Amino acid sequence: MRTRLTVATALLVALSLASAGLLVYTFEDQRRAEEITAEIDQEFAELDGLRGGLDPETREPFVSPEQLLRTFLARNVPDDTELLAGWWDGSTRSFSFGNDEIVMDPSFDAAVGPLLADNGTTVIETPEGRLQLDVQTVRFGADGGEGALVVGTFLDRARSGLLETMRTYTLVALVLLLLVTAVAAWLSGRLLAPLRTLRTAAESIGETDLSQRIPERGNDDITALTRTVNGMLGRLETAFVAQRQFLDDAGHELRTPLTVLSGHLELLDPEDPAEVRETQELLLDEIDRMSRLVRDLMLLAKSERPDFLHPEPVRLHRLVSSTLAKATAMGPRDWRLDASSREKVVLDQQRIAQALLQLADNAVKHTAPGQVVALGADTDGDRARLWVRDTGRGVPAADRGRIFERFGRSVVPRGDEGFGLGLSIVGAIAAAHHGSAHVEDGTDDQGAPCGARFVITLPLVQPDGDGDDSRDHTGDTRTEATSDGVDTTDRAPFAQALPPTTPDPTQHSKETEETWRGS
């Protein structure tokens, strides 16, 4: 590419310089031809002027061509490019000094003779180069005789200055061409350096290492391409890391239940019906746990995809109210609705409802019957905040960062069969909305510190390009919404999933999780 750009630049500059030189030569040559014509006309005009005057010697009018032409030639000194000659009595009789060889050559008279009839012009070859001959006839009466003034112009001499100028121009043009070619080669090398770096970086990227990035310098199209490639590498790296983490997590968590399944099947006595039934129940329970684990991991992996979200305008108080109605089926708690904003926010209401229900389920696990679990939402500037708070035991400060990691857990309540993926799902949903999730100290009705409050912070308007709600949703399990953004399709399943009276704390999370998990 560098060679092509350099050659193309050199050819373009060479063509431009050659065209400019040709135009200059053409215009200057035409101008010089016009000057020659003007000089010849001036000589003829002076001859006519002299003929109308008096002979300086006799103070009488001229009476013959010889008298007129001799006087004219004596009074005019030709330029270096001119030759003046007088013609009478059938040949050249007088001429300017220094042109003896040319005028005395018989070819000179032979060229002038045919021009007398019509004052014509011709060009002959001489030892001094091409000579243009122009003739002006002079006649004096019936018997005064006939003569002519011959003006010769040495064309090569007249154009010698132009030719010298063009030779100088050619040398300067060649130097400029070499200089421009060198600069083009250097400049194209600098401009294409990012592309060479891009190629080197692409060659150095292996199947397992996508962390290398290309340096971004300047603010041109190549820099934009570099930035695009870096973004592509970032997305590829994220996808590979997510895939690798998914496989590692799945392999790590599935190893235990698979070991349990294998061990019980090896020790199973098929002749003992009671042992078969007991083993069947245990294996089905383990398979159920593995299914929930796989669904959670798939949801986390899907959160990295661009089609994970389908944002739309939703009123916060409608979303929170609808989610609270669903959450009340999770257990006998003092369910409350904190102050909620009535502002519209662009978000994926099914995913946010899923995150809030996950937080509500987590709050039920860490509170006792009758304790407060509240949902709320508000806006602050360009951010929206949704939260779930409880008056349970709270989260130790040392565990608040770890609990949002995959399989990260704090204090595990008795009977909790979760995997430590719930809060990581909440964090993934918030991150997909370009937001965040965190936990802070909660408060009771008097404002005293009590329990924990899990907060999801989201931008009010999602950046362009996030989500595409124009695609076909056939077969999707997403909830429908009214014009105000209210979820209405899932209340019956939530109401039926678990009665609000005396639930078994070891069973409700699994049953409700199966009902509202979503994808």
Side-chain angles (χ1 to χ4, degrees), residues 150-312:
V150 180
V151 179
T153 304
F154 293 98
L155 298 179
D156 293 339
R157 294 181 188 177
R159 290 182 171 86
S160 61
L162 175 60
L163 296 177
E164 186 64 28
T165 300
M166 295 309 301
R167 280 193 290 269
T168 303
Y169 173 83
T170 302
L171 293 177
V172 173
L174 289 175
V175 173
L176 289 177
L177 177 61
L178 293 176
L179 180 61
V180 170
T181 302
V183 172
W186 173 79
L187 185 59
S188 61
R190 280 186 60 89
L191 292 176
L192 296 175
L195 292 181
R196 292 194 295 272
T197 304
L198 176 62
R199 184 193 64 187
T200 303
E203 291 175 349
S204 64
I205 294 173
E207 296 180 357
T208 58
D209 181 17
L210 295 173
S211 60
Q212 185 171 349
R213 295 295 181 269
I214 305 169
E216 299 178 11
R217 301 186 183 90
N219 189 24
D220 52 18
D221 293 338
I222 296 181
T223 304
L225 174 62
T226 302
R227 191 177 298 114
T228 301
V229 172
N230 283 338
M232 178 189 68
L233 291 177
R235 292 190 295 271
L236 288 175
E237 182 182 18
T238 301
F240 276 103
V241 169
Q243 182 187 46
R244 194 159 47 239
Q245 186 175 11
F246 173 80
L247 294 175
D248 292 343
D249 294 343
H252 178 270
E253 292 299 320
L254 290 175
R255 187 178 297 112
T256 299
L258 288 174
T259 301
V260 173
L261 292 175
S262 177
H264 281 82
L265 288 175
E266 290 177 356
L267 299 176
L268 176 64
D269 182 5
E271 303 298 333
D272 186 349
E275 184 178 351
V276 171
R277 285 193 300 272
E278 181 181 353
T279 303
Q280 181 185 21
E281 293 177 0
L282 187 146
L283 296 184
L284 289 175
D285 184 66
E286 287 299 316
I287 291 174
D288 180 66
R289 291 183 70 250
M290 285 192 294
S291 298
R292 288 189 289 113
L293 172 62
V294 170
R295 283 197 298 271
D296 287 349
L297 291 175
M298 290 180 64
L299 178 61
L300 288 172
K302 186 179 179 182
S303 67
E304 304 292 339
R305 290 167 45 182
D307 61 346
F308 179 65
L309 298 181
H310 301 273
E312 59 184 350

Side-chain angles (χ1 to χ4, degrees), residues 94-176:
S94 179
F95 50 89
S96 56
F97 178 77
N99 298 303
D100 305 50
E101 295 181 1
I102 298 174
V103 176
M104 298 305 294
D105 192 312
S107 62
F108 186 87
D109 286 344
V112 172
L115 304 178
L116 298 175
D118 56 358
N119 294 332
T121 300
T122 188
V123 178
I124 62 174
E125 294 291 338
T126 71
E128 300 294 330
R130 294 182 305 153
L131 177 65
Q132 176 180 317
L133 300 177
D134 292 271
V135 175
Q136 178 65 48
T137 304
V138 179
R139 295 182 177 87
F140 285 84
D143 54 356
E146 181 182 52
L149 174 64
V150 180
V151 179
T153 304
F154 293 98
L155 298 179
D156 293 339
R157 294 181 188 177
R159 290 182 171 86
S160 61
L162 175 60
L163 296 177
E164 186 64 28
T165 300
M166 295 309 301
R167 280 193 290 269
T168 303
Y169 173 83
T170 302
L171 293 177
V172 173
L174 289 175
V175 173
L176 289 177

